[in-house]
Amino acid sequence: LDIMRQCDVDIVFSDVDNIFYENPFKHDLGRMIKTQMYDYIYQANEASFKKRSHTCLTKGHMVREGNTGFYYLSRNATVVKNIMEMSIETCKSPSSLKGGDDQSIFWNTIHDMRLRNTVSYQHCSIENGYDVISSSNTTKKTASNEDAPFSARMCCLDPYYYPIGKESQIYQVEQREFVTYHANFVTGKEGKIRKMQKARTDMTGWNPNQFNAS
């Protein structure tokens, strides 16, 4: 947030264990950013073994909890920035240990504000053209959000292309067209390397030779 304020730029945040196998800016992430339709584009914290099948895309259903280790945030995303600031302050409080980690606190705040009708969320869906500019994606008032003074436009990354490291996903996956792979749900360098090795059936999920800085 400090970088965003000081430089007046949009940001993409990625944990160090989120590996880029392809360029996400030439894929869904980049296409969605270019539309300038979204305040916040997040990584679903769930598995999906079929393209374009997760309900966050097919139905436009916001997930219960996304992963805060990989996301895009627009500099104009007033609502989401405020929620992040609230979450940071909550994390600083000693009582936050009872409320979960920063990810849980952030997503709990998102849902709490929706339930209190202080914020309305507009979520992408495939039928509305989630990665293209579409008139059907303009914010609409509904019975549930008509009194909400603020709104935020959100979209999820397809977990088929942008998976996380849940064990159930690792051992069931067939050969996949990974764009990124988030080796979370394990601690330590060696554990993360083993997880990345198993992420692909050809065992090339971790191959240092393919990462060339030149």
Side-chain angles (χ1 to χ4, degrees):
L1 289 178
D2 290 338
I3 293 174
M4 175 179 285
R5 293 191 192 97
Q6 293 171 12
C7 301
D8 190 30
V9 293
D10 301 344
I11 62 168
V12 172
F13 176 87
S14 179
D15 280 348
V16 295
D17 60 352
N18 186 50
I19 304 301
F20 288 19
Y21 290 110
E22 303 291 342
N23 185 349
F25 298 103
K26 293 183 178 180
H27 197 262
D28 286 356
L29 177 63
R31 289 195 289 267
M32 287 190 285
I33 290 173
K34 287 178 181 178
T35 67
Q36 298 183 344
M37 291 167 53
Y38 301 111
D39 299 313
Y40 186 67
I41 302 170
Y42 62 88
Q43 183 176 48
N45 212 31
E46 302 167 0
S48 180
F49 304 105
K50 186 178 178 181
K51 301 174 186 178
R52 314 306 192 203
S53 64
H54 196 281
T55 55
C56 70
L57 290 173
T58 59
K59 303 293 184 182
H61 292 168
M62 186 166 61
V63 300
R64 176 57 204 167
E65 183 172 300
N67 193 290
T68 53
F70 186 38
Y71 62 83
Y72 159 81
L73 179 65
S74 167
R75 75 191 83 177
N76 299 315
T78 303
V79 169
V80 182
K81 287 191 291 184
N82 288 342
I83 292 173
M84 284 188 172
E85 290 170 347
M86 292 168 60
S87 302
I88 291 171
E89 290 304 313
T90 301
C91 287
K92 292 178 181 178
S93 170
S95 62
S96 67
L97 296 176
K98 300 178 181 179
D101 57 20
D102 58 337
Q103 177 172 292
S104 297
I105 291 171
F106 173 71
W107 279 92
N108 285 339
T109 304
I110 285 177
H111 290 289
D112 287 346
M113 294 183 74
R114 177 178 58 83
L115 292 173
R116 294 201 305 268
N117 208 34
T118 55
V119 171
S120 65
Y121 299 105
Q122 180 190 8
H123 201 282
C124 67
S125 68
I126 290 175
E127 67 179 59
N128 284 337
Y130 75 101
D131 62 351
V132 297
I133 296 176
S134 171
S135 59
S136 61
N137 277 17
T138 56
T139 303
K140 298 178 181 178
K141 291 288 187 179
T142 66
S144 61
N145 69 22
E146 62 181 0
D147 295 326
F150 304 105
S151 64
R153 302 168 299 169
M154 306 175 70
C155 196
C156 64
L157 292 167
D158 188 341
Y160 178 87
Y161 293 107
Y162 301 85
I164 58 168
K166 280 190 175 180
E167 292 301 324
S168 60
Q169 186 168 6
I170 297 300
Y171 296 111
Q172 294 178 26
V173 70
E174 297 179 355
Q175 192 62 45
R176 294 266 290 280
E177 305 134 282
F178 288 146
V179 176
T180 66
Y181 176 72
H182 201 160
N184 53 2
F185 290 91
V186 67
T187 59
K189 175 183 176 182
E190 296 304 318
K192 291 182 180 295
I193 288 176
R194 286 193 297 271
K195 178 157 286 192
M196 285 185 282
Q197 287 173 332
K198 295 176 181 178
R200 292 171 58 100
T201 54
D202 60 6
M203 299 299 287
T204 62
W206 175 254
N207 179 5
N209 294 327
Q210 69 180 324
F211 303 112
N212 191 332
S214 61

